[in-house]
Amino acid sequence: MRDIVLIHSTISQEIPTLCVSEIHYLPIYDALLESNIPPHAPQECIDALIFTSKHAVFSLMQAMAKRKELSAFAKIPAFAIGEKCAQALTQAGFAVEFVSSTSHGESFAREIIERANGRKMLYFRAKDIASNLDLLLTQAQIPLAQITAYTKQPKPLPQSLKPRPQSVLIFTAPSHYHFFVQNFGWDPSYIAVAIGQTTLRAFAPSTICYASPTQSLESCIDLAKILAQRAQNHTAAQSSPKKLK
């Protein structure tokens, strides 16, 4: 069967992983002060939190471990995209008000707009984001503050680590795809699996690609296995000798 490789920023215990980027958590406490948000009493100006990545949650948790007064954030209702992000919030003791089942940032923005009810939102985000979530919320006149909680940076890798031709590659973020191509280029025999529509749109038009039916790594792996088996069966059928009639 074809090789299946997760292209990511952290090692997975479930599947062979190629780390093409590194996550750097940024100083949230200082960013809050610069945004005039009182770290000890954020409820004074913030009514709800927005998270689109578990890394934003982990960055805030790291800051909370260093500054106990930041624990006040856990009392503010949170909007999350994806079960993994919501799970990270719940385990950290946050009050999760809404979990979007969509993997599309624009769809998540519409769901937030429907539920905002005039509340002031605080978006913990990456330095670079692929969706227009922040723009859509601003256009809907929702009071929105943003804190850059983490950044992704490419990790230079030797060509010896490049996946073999015909591999099935799993991508969970547009940045992982861009960093991979920047480092290794793209073999046209690769099959790409995207965790959601935002990542899918990042692929070059000529890419053989598929979107996972649900936004989870487990779903991506299941789809990758199906595609790898299907490709193997197709290759076997083509190579088998045809019987003469």
Side-chain angles (χ1 to χ4, degrees), residues 19-81:
C19 291
V20 295
S21 66
E22 297 174 325
I23 300 293
H24 296 275
Y25 296 149
L26 302 177
I28 285 180
Y29 188 88
D30 294 341
L32 291 168
L33 294 176
E34 292 174 3
S35 299
N36 295 317
I37 299 173
H40 64 287
Q43 303 96 322
E44 293 180 2
C45 57
I46 299 297
D47 301 311
L49 309 176
I50 299 173
F51 295 90
T52 56
S53 168
K54 63 182 180 182
H55 289 298
V57 180
F58 295 154
S59 179
L60 179 55
M61 289 171 58
Q62 184 182 85
M64 291 168 64
K66 296 177 181 178
R67 299 272 190 169
K68 298 302 181 184
E69 60 266 39
L70 292 178
S71 61
F73 278 93
K75 301 176 183 178
I76 302 176
F79 289 70
I81 188 169

Side-chain angles (χ1 to χ4, degrees), residues 74-195:
K75 301 176 183 178
I76 302 176
F79 289 70
I81 188 169
E83 290 297 332
K84 290 294 184 181
C85 183
Q87 184 180 23
L89 285 165
T90 300
Q91 291 176 344
F94 281 77
V96 179
E97 177 178 320
F98 176 75
V99 182
S100 175
S101 59
T102 180
S103 59
H104 200 227
E106 283 76 7
S107 298
F108 185 38
R110 289 192 290 270
E111 292 172 329
I112 294 174
I113 292 169
E114 293 172 358
R115 296 164 175 80
N117 298 320
R119 287 182 289 180
K120 302 169 187 173
M121 303 279 189
L122 175 59
Y123 178 20
F124 287 97
R125 51 169 285 177
K127 181 179 179 180
D128 298 308
I129 56 176
S131 73
N132 294 321
L133 185 145
D134 56 335
L135 178 61
L136 293 173
L137 295 181
T138 302
Q139 290 176 341
Q141 298 184 336
I142 292 178
L144 180 68
Q146 302 183 62
I147 295 295
T148 302
Y150 69 99
T151 183
K152 292 181 181 179
Q153 297 181 352
K155 183 179 180 180
L157 298 171
Q159 290 300 306
S160 60
L161 294 180
K162 182 177 181 178
R164 295 190 298 177
Q166 300 187 335
S167 295
V168 181
L169 308 181
I170 299 173
F171 296 92
T172 61
S175 60
H176 297 153
Y177 168 74
H178 293 308
F179 293 154
F180 178 88
V181 173
Q182 177 183 323
N183 202 118
F184 297 113
W186 188 261
D187 189 303
S189 69
Y190 288 152
I191 295 176
V193 173
I195 198 170

Side-chain angles (χ1 to χ4, degrees), residues 9 17 25 27 56 78 87 105 111 144 151 175 202-203 216 220 230 239:
S9 55
T17 309
Y25 296 149
Q87 184 180 23
E111 292 172 329
L144 180 68
T151 183
S175 60
F203 297 151
S216 71
C220 288
R230 184 187 301 169
S239 61

